Each structure stands twice: as C-alpha cells, then as structure tokens.
Amino acid sequence: MRETSFSNLRAFIDQLRRDGDLAIVDTPVSASLEVAEIHRRVIAAGGPALLFTRVDESAFPLATNLFGTARRAELAFGSRPERLIRRLVDLAETIMPPTLGKLWGARDVAFAAMKVGLSTRSSGPVTDVVTDEVRLDQLPVLTTWPEDGGPFITLPLVSTRHPKTGSSNLGMYRLQIHDARSAGMHWQIGKGGGFHYAVAEATGEALPATVFLGGPPALILAAIAPLPENGPEMMLASLIAGERLATCPGPGEHALIAEAEFALIGRVPAKLRKPEGPFGDHYGYYSLRHDYPVFEVSHLARRKDAIYPATVVGKPRQEDFFIGDLLQKLLSPLFPLVMPAVTSLWSYGETGYHSLAAAVVKQRYKREAMASAFRILGEGQLSLTKFLIVLDRDVDLADFKAVLTHLLERTQPETDLFVFSNVSMDTLDYTGPTVNEGSKGVWLGVGDPVRRLPAEFRSSVELPAGARDPRVFCPGCLVVGAPTASDEPGAAARFADHPAFKDWPLVVVTDDPARAAASVINFLWTTFTRFEPGADVHAGAKRIVRNHVSLAPPIVLDARLKPRFPKELFADHATAATVTKRWKEYFPSGVAMGDAAQGHLD
C-alpha cells in the first residue's frame, strides 16, 4: 500500500491507469442519466474507475468511480494518515508528564507537524484560465436519477469563512445547477458552512464561498470528516496528504487550492432561497424538493486541461460507502481520546450512516453506558444518529449480526431501551413527521447474557392475520411480512401482542421479508432507513415506570414503507436499455456489467 496520498486528482488517475484500474470511455455519452447508469453497473461489479472523454455538450472529460472499491479508497489517501493518527493518540496518552526523553522520542511527530498547513504560491494550475464569463451549463454535470430536479455537482468542496472569527470550513454540499451562473447550496442542519451563512445572513450580508472540484484527494476525505464545529478541515487534509497544501491568489476573497481542477468563486446572498431537489440520495430514496440558499458564481478558474470529477449516490453500497468506511477506520483511534469511556464506535453506511451506529463502552459503574450514549449523541455530526446500540464487551462492530446477537442476549428492554421524541434528525431522513424533526433510540446490551436466543421459528399457534413468510435474520431476530402500511397502519402493534412471537426479543415487520433477510446489507438498509423510533417501535407490553416508557419484549420495529415516504430509487427504463445495448461500445476491451438495480444489496 502506498504510504502517501497524491498531490492532485490527475496524479491519482495516472496511478489507476498504471495499475490497470481505470477504464477510458471514448464513445460519446450523455451526462443526463446515461453516465450514472454506466457508473452504477460498473460499481455493482466491483469494476474500475471511469474516465469519459466525450460527454455530450461539454468540452471537459469526466471522471467517476474513483473511490468505488476499498483498494482504490485506501490507495487515494495512503497508509500514512492512519499510522500518524495512531502515533498521535499514543503520544497523547503517554507523554504526560513530559520529560526530555519523552519529548525526544516524539520528534517524529514534531517533524510531521512541520509539514502540516498551507503554503502560498503566486499562481497555480487552477489559474491557467480565469474568467467572469461563467457557464456552469457547459460543465459535464450529472443528472443521476430520472426524477432528479436537474443536474447536480456531487463532489464539490465548499470553502467558507466565519464572518466574525475568520475560522474556515470545508464541506461537501451538493449543488443543483439552476442556470449558467447559479446553483443551489444544500446546507443541511448541523453543517459548518450553514452556520457561517446564518451568521452572515443575520447581518444582511452575503457570504463569500469558493467551490473546488478536484485537487488533492485528501481534501475530499477532510471535507466529509465528522470534525467538531470549527475543526480545521484544511489542516486535516494537509495531515492526510503529508505535505502543506499549496494555495494561490484568485479573483475572490479566498485563496484557491493551487492543484484543483476547477474553482467556482462567488457568494451566497442573504434571504435568497430557491427550490432544490428532488435528488436521488445515499439513503436509497429521493430527497424531496425544499428551499435552499443560492450560490451565485462570479468567476470560474480552472486548469487548461481540467478534468471534472463526479460521483453517483443511491442504494448501498455506492462509492460514498467506501470513502465513509475508510474515514471511520482512520478516525477510530481518536474516539477514546475525545470520549474516554468509548472504546470503539461504528456507523453503518448501509443505513446512510446517520440512521444507525453501535458503540462499545466502558461500564465502570451501573448505567454508565447511558452517559457514553449521551456523549456520542452530543458530538458533532454523531448528534444526527437516529438509533444507537451500546455494548460493554468487545465485539467487532462491523459484524452487525454479531452486534445484534450480543445485544439481544443481554438486553432487558424494559429498562434498556430508550426513545427520545421531538428532537432533530438528519435532513435526508424522511421517517419523521416533518423534515429535520423526529426521534432517537438508544438500546443497551450490557453485562452477562440473560436469555438463550431462538435460532429457528417454531410456533404452537397460528400467525396473526396478515403475517407471512417469517424468516430468521440472526438468533433472536425474526423478520415478518405484513399488510402494507397503507392497508393496515396498526399491523406492527397488533403483531407485538400476539403469542406467536413471544419467544423473540426482536421482530422486524417489513414489506418484503425475503429481501430483508437475504443479507446483512439488505437488513440494515430496509430496516433502519424505514423506521422512526418515536412512531415505529412497538412492544408486547408497555407501561410507565418513573416517567420512563417501559417496553417488554417482543420489541417490534415497523420497517414498512409508509405512505408519506419518498420513492425508492430505480433507473429510467429507456436509459437502462440504452446502456445494455451500448455496453460493448463503451468498453470494447471488456468490463464486467453488474446489476445496478440490486447493486450490492443481494
């Protein structure tokens, strides 16, 4: 594995070419739906990165699927960042009290720190061409799903500064192209750029913003990292890259990343909103149309031979999954440092990350696990976690069946399952009653086992009316089909009270039990993206004890699609047929065609 990252996007692409992990598509393709369907089929087969050289109505080549396997994601960022972060954590735990010997032993970290930061050049490749004749409609911006509101920039690195303190933020917020000179700025709740904008808007001022496309891959990882508010993303990018990030002056208020492919320079006016969306998002459904701020672009800077980078999101696992999991592994040594009682923490990309997380914590006194749960749910982007499982014994959190089995063996739901209603939720999670609002759940599984779990379904009584096709997902967890939520909204609550399920601590009610139980990925996606704790957790019995809602097993999760829920993502039939027909035109030397409709789900 390469130790260091790459100084720019094209250096990474060149390495993929040398590795035989890049497919170049020279035949003409459309940025509207066609490229995205090609991308999805390649990633479903675990295929190569893609470089499209002839995209209709654009003079720029287009690169996608750059990080769409674990190998490519690891290659893009190198092994040095994880090794250095582990070294920093070790040093933080051992250097106090400092001695001359300890300080001398830490000289490697000091030398590495000297390479972290920004450097300034008089110019850079990104300023090869600078123009105020902005034509966003001439970029090969993708429309990825048939009901999308239009083309979206999907790998934008949005740079802003706090209007009062000057602290910087680098985030990744999708941009819907409104016209040749403006785009939507999708600042969700809890996002650093959005906080900067709120401060500027309160004074009636526009917020200057610069959007970078391409550049060092380390920028992408830093932009999506769940750093605390005001965390220095640029410094993290420099740390990952192993060198100072080169910047140069540009026509706006911000310095430009010298090695970027494009820079869009402009501002976000106060009090201006336009409808944005729908957009087929990483939850696997459409995020709906809502009003968002507008990014007005005054100048465009670019390399003379710029490459436009893009990605495609949708049902898991897509390219963002591999970046997200790598980022978790990279930052995992920091969790015990930031939250001392938290031994390990994992968010599940199969659920869109914010829908489900699990943690192993230290239980040094009774119920301390809840203190750790509150700490996790109060930490940066982790505060958007919808459901949190908390254990106190070592378990491989990436092995979800092991996690769930461990929980169900130990939990006493009457005292260990908590539901908190009337709280904020991730903007892209539509299971709550309204956007950005809903509930959270915390489920403890601590101590020694308290029950033996059933591993096969046997019942001396008939299933309740409407129940069908019961399937065991793991010991203690049964998946059961039910009438649709439109036909019988109360079916899950009715099932919870039925003796057929009395031996099962957890029952998941779903529309398609065969699909939900087919794999861990299917179970995670169809369950946790479709239920909200406040509305969809039911129990065999419920009572109020000391103002706590005590839920007795079986715990029943209603994971059916509700009538108000956005549509699941499916490709346009005509585009899918075109891609099937043209496959050998795209890849005359041969690239495997995966099943984009199922992807990694089965």
Side-chain angles (χ1 to χ4, degrees):
M1 175 56 61
R2 180 186 173 102
E3 179 173 326
T4 58
S5 185
F6 296 85
S7 59
N8 55 47
L9 178 71
R10 57 197 52 225
F12 178 49
I13 291 174
D14 287 344
Q15 183 63 56
L16 296 180
R17 183 184 287 110
R18 289 192 295 270
D19 292 346
D21 203 8
L22 176 72
I24 299 175
V25 180
D26 289 322
T27 191
V29 293
S30 172
S32 178
L33 303 180
E34 186 179 10
V35 166
E37 180 64 9
I38 297 168
H39 170 113
R40 288 191 292 267
R41 294 194 189 189
V42 171
I43 201 170
L50 301 171
L51 181 64
F52 298 90
T53 62
R54 298 173 64 189
V55 183
D56 291 352
E57 300 181 359
S58 179
F60 301 103
L62 161 70
T64 75
N65 199 27
L66 295 169
F67 314 104
T69 64
R71 189 202 81 85
R72 287 202 297 276
E74 291 172 1
L75 175 68
F77 308 113
S79 61
R80 178 183 176 278
E82 183 176 0
R83 177 173 52 79
L84 184 56
I85 286 176
R86 290 189 181 279
R87 177 75 176 104
L88 288 168
V89 170
D90 177 68
L91 191 61
E93 294 173 343
T94 60
I95 201 169
M96 298 302 291
T99 64
L100 286 176
K102 289 179 180 179
L103 293 173
W104 178 250
R107 63 190 183 279
D108 60 322
V109 174
F111 290 143
M114 292 172 63
K115 299 179 181 179
V116 173
L118 305 178
S119 64
T120 302
R121 302 177 184 173
S122 59
S123 63
V126 73
T127 56
D128 286 348
V129 178
V130 179
T131 180
D132 60 1
E133 296 180 2
V134 177
R135 291 295 304 273
L136 299 180
D137 54 337
Q138 292 183 352
L139 300 177
V141 184
L142 299 183
T143 301
T144 56
W145 295 101
E147 295 187 27
D148 280 1
F152 284 80
I153 298 175
T154 51
L155 281 180
L157 301 163
V158 182
S159 177
T160 58
R161 289 193 174 277
H162 192 287
K164 294 183 178 179
T165 68
S167 62
S168 65
N169 181 78
L170 186 72
M172 187 173 290
Y173 320 112
R174 73 188 190 219
L175 304 176
Q176 179 181 344
I177 303 300
H178 289 322
D179 53 46
R181 299 184 69 95
S182 70
M185 183 63 80
H186 190 84
W187 275 324
Q188 304 168 25
I189 60 170
K191 303 301 183 181
F195 292 146
H196 291 181
Y197 177 65
V199 173
E201 188 173 48
T203 64
E205 298 293 324
L207 180 71
T210 302
V211 174
F212 300 108
L213 301 172
L219 285 170
I220 292 176
L221 205 62
I224 64 175
L227 296 180
E229 187 176 349
N230 299 320
E233 289 89 0
M234 290 291 193
M235 297 303 100
L236 177 59
S238 174
L239 177 70
I240 294 170
E243 61 184 6
R244 291 180 178 271
L245 292 178
T247 64
C248 63
E253 297 187 26
H254 302 152
L256 304 183
I257 299 297
E259 294 289 338
E261 299 292 317
F262 294 88
L264 311 179
I265 300 104
R267 61 179 205 151
V268 185
K271 310 298 183 183
L272 178 61
R273 302 289 190 277
K274 284 187 179 180
E276 186 261 16
F279 178 69
D281 223 313
H282 66 280
Y283 275 72
Y285 314 93
Y286 286 99
S287 60
L288 302 181
R289 189 175 174 90
H290 302 288
D291 288 345
Y292 277 92
V294 178
F295 176 44
E296 295 179 342
V297 185
S298 60
H299 292 80
L300 184 148
R302 64 172 176 85
R303 290 173 177 261
K304 61 179 181 295
D305 57 349
I307 301 170
Y308 176 85
T311 190
V312 177
V313 294
K315 286 179 282 193
R317 299 172 178 171
Q318 299 295 331
E319 188 174 4
D320 58 329
F321 174 89
F322 297 99
I323 301 175
D325 274 15
L326 177 69
L327 182 61
Q328 292 197 88
K329 292 175 184 176
L330 176 65
L331 297 180
S332 61
L334 294 174
F335 292 136
L337 193 64
V338 176
M339 300 175 283
V342 178
T343 302
S344 57
L345 178 65
W346 192 256
S347 297
Y348 294 89
E350 296 90 345
T351 73
Y353 288 106
H354 290 321
S355 289
L356 177 67
V360 176
V361 305
K362 297 175 183 176
Q363 176 95 327
R364 295 164 295 190
Y365 56 85
K366 189 175 182 180
R367 313 305 285 177
E368 185 187 9
M370 277 305 294
S372 295
F374 289 135
R375 181 66 185 269
I376 292 167
L377 294 178
E379 188 67 40
Q381 291 186 36
L382 290 170
S383 65
L384 296 176
T385 301
K386 179 170 67 176
F387 202 83
L388 176 64
I389 293 172
V390 181
L391 314 176
D392 70 339
R393 309 290 171 86
D394 285 337
V395 180
D396 179 4
L397 297 182
D399 182 351
F400 181 72
K401 279 193 176 182
V403 169
L404 189 57
T405 300
H406 187 96
L407 169 80
L408 297 177
E409 285 176 336
R410 290 161 173 77
T411 190
Q412 297 280 16
E414 295 89 343
T415 56
D416 292 346
L417 179 57
F418 299 81
V419 175
F420 306 99
S421 293
N422 306 309
V423 296
S424 61
M425 286 179 69
D426 184 21
T427 301
L428 304 179
D429 189 325
Y430 285 89
T431 57
T434 186
V435 67
N436 293 331
E437 298 179 15
S439 58
K440 298 184 184 301
V442 174
W443 201 348
L444 306 183
V446 298
D448 297 322
V450 298
R451 66 175 60 82
R452 296 187 64 178
L453 301 175
E456 59 179 316
F457 181 69
R458 295 177 180 174
S459 178
S460 59
V461 300
E462 291 187 7
L463 292 174
R468 55 184 170 80
D469 196 14
R471 294 174 180 250
V472 176
F473 170 68
C474 72
C477 177
L478 190 68
V479 179
V480 181
T484 67
S486 297
D487 290 340
E488 189 185 352
R494 178 168 61 83
F495 287 7
D497 194 36
H498 197 278
F501 307 124
K502 63 181 179 62
D503 296 327
W504 294 84
L506 177 62
V507 177
V508 175
V509 175
T510 186
D511 295 305
D512 187 349
R515 183 187 195 188
S519 67
V520 172
I521 299 175
N522 263 304
F523 180 85
L524 287 167
W525 182 63
T526 59
T527 300
F528 290 94
T529 64
R530 298 182 182 185
F531 98 98
E532 184 222 349
D536 298 321
V537 174
H538 305 279
K542 181 188 301 185
R543 61 195 184 104
I544 306 297
V545 180
R546 295 177 56 81
N547 281 334
H548 169 70
V549 180
S550 178
L551 303 173
I555 301 302
V556 177
L557 306 184
D558 187 354
R560 295 173 296 170
L561 285 169
K562 313 306 187 294
R564 67 180 185 280
F565 209 66
K567 293 180 181 179
E568 183 178 335
L569 299 178
F570 293 101
D572 171 69
H573 291 300
T575 301
T578 296
V579 169
T580 298
K581 182 179 179 181
R582 298 191 65 197
W583 195 259
K584 290 186 178 179
E585 292 181 47
Y586 308 138
F587 307 109
S589 299
V591 167
M593 179 169 63
D595 184 347
Q598 292 301 322
H600 291 85
L601 284 173
D602 294 319

